[in-house]
Amino acid sequence: MSLNIWALAIVKASGAEFPATQLVFLRAAVGLVLMIPWIVTARADFRLARRPGLHLARIALSSLTLTASFYAIARVPFALFTAVNFTRPLVMIALAALFLAEPATPRRWLAALLGLVGVLIAVGPGPASLDPAFLALTLTVLSGTAAIIVTCKINDQPPVVLMTAYTAGLAVTTAVPAALSWAPVARADWPVLLAIGLFAQAAQFCFLRAHRGASAGLLGIVGYVSLVLSTCVGWLLFDEVPSLEFWCGTLLILTATWIVRASWRGSVR
C-alpha cells in the first residue's frame, strides 16, 4: 500500500504537467523491464496461457482504468480518491450478478445504496460531482471493477502470464496516445517519473506475495489502512485537509464495504 501511494503521490504532483497517457506508458514500460528476469525464469508457464480474448478485454479495461485514475488523482484530494475507490466491492455486486451469475442478496443491495449515499456526502452536492476529474474517478471505479470481473474468469492461469499480459498490454495500448500527447521531460524529472513504474510494479509483486501468505479477508481489513496513509500524504504534501462531510461519507462507504465483504465471507463458509 505504501509503494502504491508513493507512486500515486508522484502522479499527483506531476499529473498537471504531463498527460495521463504518458505517465501510464512510463509506468508500464518500467514495470515490463523489471519483470524481465521473472519472465525469463518462468517462461515455461506461458504454454498455459489461454483465452486471449479475455486477456485483451482485461488489458483494454485496465488501460482505461489506469489512465482515468492518473487523470483523477492529479485533480481530486488524495483521501477522496482512496475513499471512492473503496466502493469497488459495491459495484462488484451488480457486475457479479450480470456476468458471474452470482445472486445479490437484499443485504448487499442495501450496502450498495449505503455506499452510494456515502459517496454523495463525501463529494458534496453541486458542480463538484460533475467535474471531469470526478467523472474520471467514477470511470476508474466502474472500469476497474469490470477488469476484476474479467480477471476472475482467467485467474486460474499462472501469475506471470497475467502480470506480463497486463503490463505489456498497458505499454502497447498507451504507446500511441502517449506519443501523440508527449510532453518534454527535463533531465532532472526523469528519475522521478520512472519511479512511478518502480514503485507501482514493486507494489504489484508485494500484492501477489501478500495473497500467497494471508487470507483475502485479513488483507481486506488491512486495506483500510490505505485511507489513513493517503489522508496523511494528502495533508503533509498537498495541504489537503478533509472536511467533516468527507469523514461522514467515508464512514458510510467503509461500513457498506465491510457489510459486503462480511456477506461474501459468510457465503463462502
Side-chain angles (χ1 to χ4, degrees), residues 77-84 118 121-123 227 230-231 241-253:
F78 213 141
L80 179 62
F81 177 87
T82 304
V84 173
I121 294 174
V123 174
L227 181 61
S230 61
T231 302
V241 180
S243 64
L244 177 61
E245 290 79 8
F246 165 80
W247 287 118
C248 291
T250 298
L251 180 60
L252 292 179
I253 293 171

Side-chain angles (χ1 to χ4, degrees), residues 10-28:
I10 298 174
V11 173
K12 185 171 181 61
S14 308
E17 183 178 355
F18 299 100
T21 51
Q22 181 175 349
L23 297 178
V24 173
F25 172 76
L26 290 174
R27 177 254 181 269

Side-chain angles (χ1 to χ4, degrees), residues 48-166:
L48 303 176
R50 56 193 183 279
R51 308 184 79 175
L54 289 180
H55 280 287
L56 291 175
R58 178 174 177 248
I59 290 168
L61 289 167
S62 298
S63 299
L64 180 61
T65 300
L66 206 55
T67 303
S69 68
F70 278 18
Y71 177 87
I73 188 62
R75 295 164 177 83
V76 302
F78 213 141
L80 179 62
F81 177 87
T82 304
V84 173
N85 269 283
F86 271 111
T87 62
R88 289 192 184 193
L90 309 178
V91 177
M92 182 76 77
I93 295 172
L95 295 185
L98 288 174
F99 298 107
L100 298 180
E102 181 175 318
T105 63
R107 182 183 180 185
R108 292 179 184 176
W109 285 121
L110 181 61
L113 179 60
L114 183 66
L116 176 60
V117 172
V119 170
L120 294 177
I121 294 174
V123 174
S129 58
L130 298 178
D131 184 271
F134 183 72
L135 295 179
L137 180 53
T138 303
L139 179 60
T140 297
V141 173
L142 295 175
S143 58
T145 307
I148 294 173
I149 292 289
V150 175
T151 303
C152 290
K153 296 273 190 181
I154 56 176
N155 208 28
D156 56 341
Q157 299 182 43
V160 67
V161 173
L162 296 177
M163 285 197 65
T164 301
Y166 169 82

Side-chain angles (χ1 to χ4, degrees), residues 32-46 160 164:
L32 192 58
V33 171
L34 293 175
M35 287 183 61
I36 289 176
W38 188 24
I39 293 172
V40 172
T41 56
R43 58 187 179 277
D45 289 346
F46 286 90
V160 67
T164 301

